[in-house]
C-alpha cells in the first residue's frame, strides 16, 4: 500500500501547479492521496522570524490533528510532497513520528534543511527571496540530497516568462514523476551529480 501526503505553503495551496500536478502523478502511480490543508496564518510572515516560527508551530499542530487517524505502519511506501514552510512541517512531522518516507521538497525554507532525515529530491529557484541562493548552496553542499535548480526561479519556481515557466514546470514534473515511480533520474545541467 502507498500513501502520498501533500503539505502546502503559507499561500501556496494544494491546487497550485507544483502540488496539483505532482498530486495527479502520485494518484496515477497508485498512491492514496491525503492533503494536509492547514491554514489561519498571520499576514506579513516574510522576513519576520517570530511570525515564521508561529506559522510553523500552527501548521505542525494542525498536521498532527489532520493526520492523527492515519496508520502509517500499514503502508509500504510513504511519500511526502511539500512546498515552502510545508517542507519544514513535513520533515519535522516525519522525524517526530519516526517515519521512513520519501520526500519531494519544492522551494524549502532555510529552517527545513536541518530537519530532513529521509531520502528525497529538492527543487530550488535561484531567485527565491525566501531562501537566498548562496545560502541554499552552502546548506545543501554537505548533504546527500539530489537537488534541481530553476535559473531565475522565484519561491514558486516561476521566472515571469510564461513560456519559460511552462517549460520549467514540465521538466520539474518529469523529474518528480521519475522520483515518485522510483525510476532512475539522469543528471541534468542543474542537478547535483550522483
Amino acid at each position: 500500500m502507498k500513501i502520498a501526503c501533500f503539505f502546502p505553503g503559507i499561500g501556496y495551496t494544494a491546487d497550485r501547479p507544483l502540488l496539483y500536478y505532482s498530486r495527479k502523478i502520485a494518484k496515477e502511480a497508485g498512491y492514496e492521496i491525503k492533503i494536509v490543508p492547514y491554514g489561519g496564518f498571520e499576514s506579513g510572515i516574510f522576513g519576520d522570524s517570530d511570525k515564521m516560527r508561529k506559522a510553523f508551530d500552527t501548521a505542525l499542530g494542525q498536521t498532527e490533528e489532520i493526520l492523527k487517524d492515519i496508520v502509517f505502519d500499514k503502508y509500504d511506501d510513504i511519500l511526502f510532497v511539500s512546498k515552502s514552510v510545508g517542507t519544514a512541517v513535513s520533515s519535522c512531522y516525519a522525524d517526530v513520528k519516526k517515519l521512513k518516507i520519501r520526500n519531494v521538497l519544492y522551494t524549502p525554507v532555510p529552517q527545513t534543511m536541518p530537519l530532513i532525515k529521509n531520502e528525497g529530491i529538492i527543487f530550488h529557484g535561484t531567485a527565491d527571496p525566501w531562501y537566498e541562493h548562496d545560502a541554499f548552496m552552502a546548506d545543501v553542499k554537505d548533504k546527500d540530497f539530489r537537488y534541481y535548480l530553476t535559473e531565475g526561479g522565484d519561491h514558486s519556481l516561476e521566472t515571469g516568462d510564461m513560456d519559460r515557466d511552462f517549460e520549467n514546470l514540465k521538466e520539474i514534473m518529469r523529474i518528480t514523476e521519475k522520483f515518485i515511480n522510483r525510476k532512475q533520474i539522469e543528471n541534468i545541467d542543474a542537478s547535483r551529480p550522483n
Side-chain angles (χ1 to χ4, degrees), residues 124-129 150-159 164:
H124 171 73
T126 63
D128 185 343
T150 298
E151 193 62 41
D154 63 12
H155 196 55
S156 296
L157 298 177
E158 295 177 357
T159 65
R164 186 171 163 205

Side-chain angles (χ1 to χ4, degrees), residues 126-140:
T126 63
D128 185 343
W130 287 75
Y131 201 165
E132 196 272 329
H133 181 61
D134 289 341
F136 171 79
M137 294 304 292
D139 290 346
V140 81

Side-chain angles (χ1 to χ4, degrees), residues 64-130:
E64 291 272 357
E65 181 63 25
I66 292 165
L67 299 181
K68 71 180 181 189
D69 295 328
I70 295 179
V71 181
F72 285 103
D73 290 345
K74 74 179 186 179
Y75 295 97
D76 304 314
D77 187 354
I78 304 168
L79 178 69
F80 280 5
V81 181
S82 54
K83 168 74 175 78
S84 185
V85 73
T87 64
V89 172
S90 66
S91 297
C92 184
Y93 180 83
D95 189 40
V96 167
K97 297 294 183 181
K98 307 285 189 254
L99 299 176
K100 184 171 176 10
I101 65 168
R102 296 185 311 126
N103 285 296
V104 177
L105 302 145
Y106 296 117
T107 66
V109 291
Q111 298 85 344
T112 303
M113 298 310 278
L115 299 171
I116 303 172
K117 304 278 189 336
N118 288 278
E119 165 192 8
I121 57 173
I122 300 172
F123 295 87
H124 171 73
T126 63
D128 185 343
W130 287 75

Side-chain angles (χ1 to χ4, degrees), residues 24-35:
K24 287 184 73 152
I25 291 167
K27 188 169 184 170
E28 287 174 12
Y31 285 81
E32 177 184 328
I33 303 297
K34 180 66 178 176
I35 299 171

